Amino acid sequence: GRRDDRLYSAWLAGKLSLPLSSGFEFFGRAGVHHVWTSLLDPPVRIDGTGLMAGAGFEYNLNLVATRASIFVDYTLQRATTSASDGTPNTDEDMTLRTWTLGFTVGF
């Protein structure tokens, strides 16, 4: 049958930006995060909390009616996870790496 296992991540972080030139800026971010997944076969929930850090570049577009930017960033998340039902030998160190290319717009 079809498996529908999913991994979720939520984080709280601070961001520091350093303007460079011509609309470019470098940013760094650090904080804490929580990951969780619910496996269907066998049914068990796995949770973990850890630290995260990221860095990237952003280009602020010069638009008349709105603020907008294009950014690229790399984020690294590490956590130790375990099964919430107490299943033995389920502690795992997890590392999640993410590259993001994005667009922001503000009014």
Side-chain angles (χ1 to χ4, degrees), residues 19-36:
L20 299 174
S21 64
S22 302
F24 282 96
E25 65 181 48
F26 170 81
F27 63 86
R29 148 177 83 242
V32 295
H33 76 100
H34 184 77
V35 295
W36 66 97

Side-chain angles (χ1 to χ4, degrees), residues 9-74:
S9 176
W11 39 278
L12 178 64
K15 179 182 175 184
L16 180 63
S17 297
L18 176 65
L20 299 174
S21 64
S22 302
F24 282 96
E25 65 181 48
F26 170 81
F27 63 86
R29 148 177 83 242
V32 295
H33 76 100
H34 184 77
V35 295
W36 66 97
T37 185
S38 295
L39 303 177
L40 298 177
D41 187 20
V44 64
R45 181 179 165 105
I46 297 174
D47 292 280
T49 301
L51 301 176
M52 59 81 57
F57 289 94
E58 187 167 10
Y59 178 69
N60 296 299
L61 301 170
N62 189 9
L63 302 177
V64 177
T66 186
R67 296 180 318 233
S69 67
I70 298 171
F71 67 91
V72 61
D73 77 34
Y74 173 76

Side-chain angles (χ1 to χ4, degrees), residues 39 42-46 81-92:
L39 303 177
V44 64
R45 181 179 165 105
I46 297 174
T81 60
S82 61
S84 59
D85 67 354
T87 304
N89 302 321
T90 58
D91 291 354
E92 294 287 335

